[in-house]
Amino acid sequence: MSKIICSAAIRGAHKIVQRAEAEYQAAMEKWGPDQEIGFPNTAYYLPIIYGILGIGVKKLKDAKDVLDRCRSLLPDMVAEHVWLPYLAPALEAGMATFFAEEIIEAIRYLESPDYYTRTEGPADGNIWLGAADDVILRKRGVEFVDGTAPGFAAILGAPPTKEIAVQLAQELQEKNLYVFMCSDHEGRKMSELLVEEGVQIGWPTRLVSFGPEYTAAVFAMGFATRVAMSFGGIKPGDFTGNLIYNKDRVFAFAMPLGTVTDEWYANAAGAINWSFPTIADTPIPEILPTGICTYEHVVSNVPYDQLVSKAIEVRGLKVTVSEVPVPVSFGPAFEGERVRKDDLYLECGGPKSQAVEWVTTRDMDEVEDGKIELFGPDVDDVEEGSRLPLAIVCEFAGRKMEEDFEPILERQIHHFVNHTQGLMHIGQRDITWIRMSKAGRAKGLKLKHIGSVLHAKFHQEFGAIFDKVQIKLYTEQEKVRESVEEAKRSYEYRDARIEGMTDETTEMFYSCTLCQSFAPSHVCIISPERTGLCGAYNWMDCKASYEINATGPNQPVEKGECLDPKLGQWKGCNEFIYKASRGAIDHYSLYSLMHDPMTACGCFECVAAVLPICNGVMTVDRDYAGMTPCGMKFTTLAGTIGGGLSTPGFMGHSKYNITQKKWISADGGIKRLVWMPKSLKEEIGHRLKESSERVGIPELLDMIADETVGISEEEILPFLEEKGHPALSMDPILE
Amino acid sequence: MSFEIPTISYNGVIRQITVGKEPNCVTVGGESCYPFYLFEGAMPHLPRIAMEVYDAPPEDWPQAALEPFADVVHDPAAWAQKCVGSYGAEMIALQLASTDPNAQDTPAEKAVEVTKKVAAAINVPLIVWGSGNLEKDKEVLRMISERCAEETLLLGPVEEGSYKALGAASLAYQHTIAASTPIDVNLAKQLNILLGNLGVPDDRIIIDPTVGALGYGLEFCYSVMERDRMAALTQEDERLQFPIVCNLGKEVWKIKETRLSEEEAPLLGDPLKRGVLLEAMTALLFLLAGGDIVIMRHPDAIQLVRGLMNELMGEGV
Ligand code: SF4
């Protein structure tokens, strides 16, 4: 910790404790030891002292012990010539500061009962509210717990102008934060500036004017401490519990505006105990390394227009966007909306122009959340029926953001744009195709709104995995071309990375239990080389889903010791399966349909089945309604093997899985595939070709029979023989 | 070799949850065996039957259901008193059906008033049930939670979309909550985990698995409840070891079979008997699946279920 800050904080703490001692002495003489003291209407006494030390200060004499504790906590002043790690002493000084300040404020309540209004808002010309009583605590604290108010900004001092004061207050309000105000800078007080500008202050508007002095900072800290006791069930005196509760749940920070005095430093140091960082407008030394706080401790010299966003970033607060700000309706109901030729106002991409969408990751300071820019003409600049090229570039930043999330976020663009009334979206990546309808345009819809939609929806649904997103839209040919080039490079990189991931090099697999609602014992284990049966979840999706919703259906499964590399069985997976199936299934293989295949739920895309006469395997997808060589149609197969069973000889899987290396690799892999519906063959033909080449039989695709060859084993066998299908010469599939 | 009755090895116990405020509180849960398997474990608390009271006069009830309450439907407090006084209700469930924006859209303030009146009129625990409209329930139940802080209520339904708002309210004002999920073991478990993460103590959670009436999806609800209990009692699934509440009266009395008159459906017999039997059978089945609190409507149906329950407990009729 910076030496300057520590020395100042320790100096400040000394001054404050001295002041408390002096005032205490005077009060004792005047009122006597048995005089009752405390904050109004609260069961928490002086809450910081009660929460941290477990001491309920009821009478003046009870404060004696506390002051002694302050003394013992106070470190020696930092001498010029020593250089030590200062964090711990400064934190203790900060703690002592709060205890002392609570005593000072309690004595103030005693000496001047009308100093504070004791109300929810200004009363009789007095704007200073003082400590929140328990009724306010309960009512407002609820908002801290349920997230409607994620935390507070404790502002000490005031910005240089009224305009900045109003602007700051508004920005904090927009983030749903409470603004707790105290102290002054050169006589200017934030609360007064707001009142002068006609801004309503008080608990109902979340602009809380605690007191004119720096000591009123304890009302903010006391509030946080009480929230932990009343909502977190934290016992008085359990200081670790209290501080951790605040770190994890109360998104607060200190925002000193103006010269940071020793006393302010002392308060800021105290707040770090609660993991509340300090964001300052003045050039005080910074404390960037992380430790107690989630991220940095002190960040300084921040311009006024960036104070709030910086504070939010440093405290790790998530932005919530409740509305999608577009002039048209928004919702899944519009997903199916088509924009046909006759309704068409503007078209981007498709067969006749170029369009691309691309999600990328940037550094934190390269992204300004919510910034949406359009370079080039918008819909109003062009005639009805026009075409424009379009590039949608979404730049994400966040402490938890990972490159791996890019494709997942990018895939959402399709849905979000489609959910906007008046817009139709087809395709993805560089084959994006967007149409805007005349009706949409008439309601005021612009291309730029795509940015607003994406910003709002990304935050609403994926806020857990990133902090900031800005969106750039280009409609100039040259710029679009450049974006396409850049995006393509990134697509290639991603594809190569996914292709390159193997089960062997990945320690963590993921589960999916979404289908247990109808197949109670079914558990999908999803590894890089085995996507979910339904085709909707691959390993990366599960990883992101877990980050977003840690209690949801996708849980990390440490695969653990490998029990059988050929069949694909791991100790960790089996243990997980046993628990998650509630004891119904204790093991299965990821790579085999003959030996303990994975359980099948019912929503698999395809079913593979053994064909003993052909010594091979067939697979059939949901869309093929006809008969198959195993003697059952898809529906019959689904009914027979679904419901959470593991049926040797049969296996549910996704279409994509067929061309993954590990698909029934224990049984011989793709070389066993002797029959599949023609339409499926065509759908995945391209990748199937690559797989055939990988296994050294490039002509395999032509050897696989389909319904045009036959729908019984007897019918297809001659075909397989004629083509020299590799399955016929493999080891018998039935042992 | 002598015959031995196979027994199930249990490794879990349902939590005991106390609803209501001293001295008028009721404790449910505590089972260490499957429902009424008294030969394998204990059911320290008999399941409880709560009687419904509505916040506004019902408009579309069949005569059979309306008849016992005809004199009190305009006054929820009198209605509640009648249930306790005349029919021996052990709990009252105030259904705030009229708050639904698609019904009368009664404002939250009004719902608070009614809740206070009913609470003041009875000396048994009070369950307060929202209309099921997520946004409105958030507003209504949250306000009730705050304004009726002196009562200890059981508030429901608390859903995934409202658990933060209502969980926080429960934390602040010490109410118990009915964690409601749509007929799914994993979702029930997940909501309980979320409530725990929020800080709601385990002794304030009751599971509402969502139920349907006999002939209308009951078997699905039944097997989900069964699985809840199996997970809780035999698979150490700690996040499912909570009592279960079944809000079934309103389900039964809205199905066609309880509403058709004798003329409309001569083959179905006497509408009163028909409705009462359907409600009693629905309730009994849910008790057998693990219900700890059943919310019912008709006094005759309740009478029947009580008798059956006593018999199952081996206490004679
Ligand atoms: S089939 Fe799909 S949705 Fe169902 S459990 Fe598997 S991955 Fe999840």
Side-chain angles (χ1 to χ4, degrees):
Chain A
M1 194 173 193
S2 150
K3 179 172 172 181
I4 305 181
I5 295 192
C6 291
S7 334
I10 294 174
R11 249 193 333 267
H14 274 273
K15 288 190 213 173
I16 295 166
V17 172
Q18 253 160 41
R19 174 178 161 190
E21 285 168 342
E23 291 188 14
Y24 177 72
Q25 210 45 51
M28 281 290 270
E29 278 158 29
K30 181 165 168 197
W31 304 89
D34 287 321
Q35 172 61 42
E36 291 194 2
I37 56 166
F39 295 162
N41 293 326
T42 177
Y44 299 97
Y45 309 104
L46 303 183
I48 303 178
I49 296 173
Y50 189 51
I52 302 297
L53 297 177
I55 301 176
V57 175
K58 302 174 203 79
K59 297 186 174 163
L60 262 179
K61 64 178 179 204
D62 302 334
K64 179 80 183 66
D65 269 359
V66 178
L67 283 171
D68 291 346
R69 289 292 281 276
C70 289
R71 270 286 153 209
S72 65
L73 275 173
L74 269 189
D76 290 340
M77 297 277 212
V78 178
E80 284 301 315
H81 54 276
V82 286
W83 189 262
L84 282 165
Y86 291 107
L87 186 60
L91 294 180
E92 295 192 342
M95 235 355 151
T97 300
F98 288 148
F99 299 156
E101 287 179 344
E102 274 195 334
I103 294 174
I104 294 172
E105 288 295 344
I107 293 174
R108 194 197 306 277
Y109 267 105
L110 178 64
E111 297 277 358
S112 336
D114 298 329
Y115 190 90
Y116 294 121
T117 64
R118 305 168 183 240
T119 51
E120 280 211 341
D124 306 324
N126 183 1
I127 63 165
W128 304 116
L129 309 179
D133 64 19
D134 282 358
V135 176
I136 297 178
L137 166 76
R138 231 166 261 133
K139 192 158 156 188
R140 306 291 166 179
V142 168
E143 299 174 351
F144 281 62
V145 179
D146 71 17
T148 39
F152 61 82
I155 293 186
L156 294 100
T161 68
K162 291 178 197 169
E163 290 70 39
I164 297 179
V166 172
Q167 160 93 43
L168 263 182
Q170 251 169 20
E171 248 187 278
L172 289 163
Q173 278 175 314
E174 276 162 21
K175 305 287 185 234
N176 303 320
L177 291 161
Y178 274 88
V179 184
F180 292 163
M181 298 172 284
C182 67
S183 199
D184 72 293
H185 172 64
E186 293 169 351
R188 265 179 295 118
K189 303 186 186 81
M190 175 89 173
S191 318
E192 288 176 354
L193 296 183
L194 293 178
V195 173
E196 283 165 30
E197 279 299 277
V199 177
Q200 257 197 37
I201 60 169
W203 282 99
T205 56
R206 299 192 175 174
L207 302 173
V208 183
S209 41
F210 271 137
E213 264 211 86
Y214 66 84
T215 45
V218 284
F219 297 143
M221 301 309 296
F223 190 84
T225 312
R226 282 196 288 168
V227 166
M229 287 190 277
S230 75
F231 295 95
I234 308 288
K235 297 275 167 294
D238 174 10
F239 60 90
T240 351
N242 204 307
L243 300 181
I244 287 173
Y245 182 92
N246 272 285
K247 174 175 183 166
D248 291 345
R249 298 177 190 238
V250 179
F251 289 88
F253 43 87
M255 196 182 269
L257 302 175
T259 320
V260 179
T261 62
D262 289 350
E263 287 85 347
W264 284 15
Y265 273 123
N267 277 284
I272 291 175
N273 285 302
W274 275 252
S275 309
F276 301 164
T278 291
I279 318 298
D281 61 342
T282 53
I284 59 172
E286 299 198 316
I287 303 177
L288 298 182
T290 58
I292 312 229
C293 297
T294 313
Y295 303 119
E296 294 85 1
H297 294 99
V298 178
V299 179
S300 69
N301 210 14
V302 183
Y304 293 104
D305 60 348
Q306 288 167 31
L307 262 177
V308 175
S309 58
K310 191 76 203 172
I312 283 179
E313 178 194 324
V314 172
R315 183 61 186 92
L317 178 64
K318 288 292 169 187
V319 178
T320 55
V321 185
S322 49
E323 301 259 313
V324 180
V326 286
V328 291
S329 302
F330 184 91
F334 301 102
E335 173 122 44
E337 180 194 29
R338 301 279 88 165
V339 177
R340 290 179 217 288
K341 261 224 174 75
D342 302 340
D343 324 318
L344 180 66
Y345 191 91
L346 172 68
E347 181 169 57
C348 305
K352 298 202 177 104
S353 75
Q354 202 170 20
V356 63
E357 57 199 22
W358 180 42
V359 163
T360 187
T361 317
R362 301 259 185 253
D363 282 340
M364 277 300 248
D365 49 9
E366 290 175 311
V367 179
E368 183 183 323
D369 185 51
K371 184 157 149 198
I372 295 154
E373 295 169 295
L374 172 74
F375 304 92
D378 203 329
V379 60
D380 291 347
D381 306 320
V382 299
E383 304 266 300
E384 183 175 311
S386 299
R387 288 197 188 90
L388 281 175
L390 176 68
I392 305 172
V393 179
C394 307
E395 300 178 322
F396 284 81
R399 316 234 182 195
K400 280 177 101 178
M401 181 65 195
E402 290 179 31
E403 250 174 23
D404 287 347
F405 298 150
E406 289 173 4
I408 292 158
L409 293 164
E410 198 174 277
R411 272 211 307 263
Q412 305 304 319
I413 297 177
H414 170 73
H415 299 288
F416 296 159
V417 173
N418 251 336
H419 289 182
T420 316
Q421 187 186 25
L423 289 180
M424 177 177 92
H425 183 290
I426 300 173
Q428 30 29 52
R429 290 190 166 184
D430 54 346
I431 54 164
T432 297
W433 183 0
I434 293 178
R435 282 181 156 189
M436 188 190 292
S437 71
K438 289 179 201 164
R441 138 109 225 261
K443 285 193 174 171
L445 191 63
K446 313 253 182 294
L447 278 179
K448 214 177 163 183
H449 284 125
I450 293 178
S452 321
V453 166
L454 295 179
H455 172 257
K457 292 308 288 179
F458 277 135
H459 270 295
Q460 282 176 7
E461 299 194 11
F462 296 88
I465 56 176
F466 72 93
D467 296 326
K468 302 199 245 182
V469 56
Q470 69 189 14
I471 291 132
K472 293 184 177 134
L473 300 144
Y474 301 97
T475 54
E476 289 156 344
Q477 185 56 50
E478 189 44 32
K479 280 284 183 191
V480 172
R481 206 189 49 75
E482 278 171 32
S483 301
V484 170
E485 290 309 308
E486 214 178 340
K488 275 189 166 164
R489 275 197 297 276
S490 145
Y491 300 152
E492 274 169 29
Y493 170 78
R494 276 183 210 163
D495 292 348
R497 172 163 157 69
I498 288 271
E499 291 292 313
M501 282 191 72
T502 61
D503 289 0
E504 287 79 13
T505 54
T506 310
E507 281 315 306
M508 200 64 93
F509 293 172
Y510 286 88
S511 68
C512 186
T513 48
L514 215 54
C515 288
Q516 284 197 348
S517 54
F518 56 87
S521 56
H522 173 67
V523 187
C524 266
I525 294 282
I526 297 166
S527 71
E529 296 182 86
R530 172 125 202 207
T531 46
L533 308 185
C534 56
Y537 289 86
N538 67 28
W539 183 86
M540 212 70 97
D541 295 315
C542 294
K543 181 172 153 135
S545 150
Y546 172 68
E547 291 290 343
I548 293 162
N549 176 6
T551 59
N554 301 116
Q555 294 294 321
V557 180
E558 208 165 319
K559 70 179 185 195
E561 182 193 336
C562 185
L563 301 176
D564 191 325
K566 184 161 177 246
L567 292 176
Q569 284 199 23
W570 292 265
K571 196 153 178 269
C573 293
N574 285 347
E575 280 166 7
F576 186 93
I577 295 160
Y578 181 69
K579 261 203 116 140
S581 69
R582 302 185 190 290
I585 311 281
D586 58 7
H587 71 284
Y588 63 52
S589 316
L590 261 66
Y591 307 149
S592 177
L593 108 158
M594 295 309 293
H595 298 278
D596 307 318
M598 184 183 289
T599 53
C601 46
C603 69
F604 31 73
E605 279 185 306
C606 309
V607 182
V610 60
L611 296 180
I613 304 177
C614 302
N615 201 33
V617 166
M618 58 150 273
T619 188
V620 54
D621 62 306
R622 191 170 290 274
D623 293 332
Y624 173 78
M627 185 43 82
T628 77
C630 76
M632 288 184 263
K633 294 179 182 173
F634 180 89
T635 40
T636 320
L637 275 167
T640 313
I641 70 155
L645 305 173
S646 168
T647 317
F650 297 87
M651 182 184 91
H653 60 89
S654 71
K655 290 178 182 171
Y656 182 78
N657 189 220
I658 303 175
T659 54
Q660 288 184 292
K661 252 198 281 191
K662 293 285 167 43
W663 184 69
I664 60 168
S665 57
D667 313 312
I670 193 132
K671 282 193 270 186
R672 284 282 185 193
L673 186 55
V674 298
W675 188 94
M676 71 201 293
K678 197 163 191 294
S679 53
L680 180 60
K681 211 198 276 184
E682 280 159 11
E683 189 184 332
I684 62 166
H686 168 67
R687 278 182 292 122
L688 208 52
K689 189 102 207 344
E690 285 173 10
S691 307
S692 328
E693 280 159 17
R694 193 189 65 227
V695 297
I697 311 172
E699 60 285 9
L700 180 64
L701 195 52
D702 303 321
M703 301 175 173
I704 301 171
D706 56 36
E707 68 272 25
T708 60
V709 176
I711 47 167
S712 70
E713 287 207 66
E714 291 76 8
E715 280 169 11
I716 64 170
L717 188 57
F719 173 87
L720 301 174
E721 282 167 341
E722 182 199 318
K723 294 279 178 185
H725 194 291
L728 299 176
S729 51
M730 290 168 83
D731 289 342
I733 194 160
L734 296 181
E735 284 158 18
Chain B
M1 208 173 79
S2 68
F3 173 70
E4 266 192 52
I5 300 177
T7 54
I8 294 155
S9 64
Y10 298 99
N11 50 23
V13 180
I14 305 299
R15 289 189 179 77
Q16 305 201 25
I17 311 275
T18 301
V19 186
K21 200 175 51 177
E22 286 282 340
N24 303 323
C25 52
V26 155
T27 301
V28 293
E31 297 92 333
S32 58
C33 59
Y34 288 148
F36 304 100
Y37 277 35
L38 299 173
F39 43 90
E40 287 182 349
M43 272 180 94
H45 308 286
L46 207 62
R48 300 291 181 147
I49 303 172
M51 278 185 87
E52 286 186 315
V53 168
Y54 279 74
D55 60 338
E59 278 162 6
D60 55 351
W61 282 18
Q63 189 52 34
L66 199 56
E67 195 266 333
F69 310 107
D71 53 333
V72 287
V73 288
H74 292 276
D75 180 354
W79 187 342
Q81 271 170 336
K82 182 167 189 182
C83 289
V84 178
S86 310
Y87 303 122
E90 303 167 299
M91 296 176 120
I92 293 295
L94 176 59
Q95 309 266 21
L96 298 173
S98 84
T99 59
D100 191 336
N102 302 317
Q104 288 103 302
D105 201 10
T106 307
E109 289 79 10
K110 184 81 195 311
V112 169
E113 241 172 75
V114 176
T115 307
K116 282 185 181 257
K117 276 193 197 141
V118 171
I122 54 173
N123 57 358
V124 296
L126 180 59
I127 302 171
V128 179
W129 207 271
S131 64
N133 178 295
L134 189 72
E135 288 307 315
K136 188 67 184 282
D137 279 355
K138 259 199 237 179
E139 182 196 341
V140 170
L141 296 179
R142 199 167 163 161
M143 195 183 284
I144 289 177
S145 163
E146 183 186 321
R147 307 261 173 97
C148 303
E150 66 289 347
E151 306 294 334
T152 311
L153 307 168
L154 169 56
L155 296 172
V158 172
E159 302 173 59
E160 192 181 342
S162 59
Y163 86 92
K164 277 194 182 167
L166 299 176
S170 145
L171 268 173
Y173 305 102
Q174 268 100 56
H175 302 296
T176 304
I177 52 187
S180 186
T181 44
I183 332 183
D184 186 289
V185 182
N186 286 324
L187 291 179
K189 179 172 170 180
Q190 188 188 356
L191 184 56
N192 293 344
I193 295 175
L194 290 172
L195 285 166
N197 291 351
L198 192 70
V200 176
D202 286 346
D203 61 359
R204 272 188 232 150
I205 299 172
I206 291 186
I207 295 174
D208 163 26
T210 307
V211 294
L214 183 60
Y216 289 79
L218 178 137
E219 48 292 322
F220 190 30
C221 313
Y222 184 98
S223 67
V224 166
M225 281 171 68
E226 238 186 345
R227 282 168 53 206
D228 279 339
R229 273 297 141 101
M230 281 155 71
L233 292 173
T234 65
Q235 291 148 15
E236 292 176 80
D237 205 329
E238 187 265 336
R239 293 318 291 167
L240 285 169
Q241 292 167 344
F242 297 91
I244 294 176
V245 56
C246 302
N247 194 354
L248 62 92
K250 66 186 173 97
E251 298 300 326
V252 173
W253 292 96
K254 80 176 178 213
I255 65 174
K256 188 175 80 210
E257 287 74 6
T258 56
R259 308 177 68 91
L260 292 174
S261 67
E262 193 150 14
E263 295 75 55
E264 287 164 321
L267 289 178
L268 295 182
D270 175 20
L272 171 64
K273 239 190 226 161
R274 198 198 306 149
V276 164
L277 280 175
L278 275 166
E279 187 178 15
M281 281 161 72
T282 303
L284 181 71
L285 287 164
F286 285 131
L287 289 171
L288 291 176
D292 291 277
I293 300 174
V294 285
I295 300 177
M296 297 180 65
R297 183 170 297 174
H298 202 285
D300 295 352
I302 292 172
Q303 205 50 44
L304 272 172
V305 174
R306 270 202 199 115
L308 288 162
M309 211 154 47
N310 286 336
E311 254 185 282
L312 283 169
M313 294 299 285
E315 292 173 11
V317 189

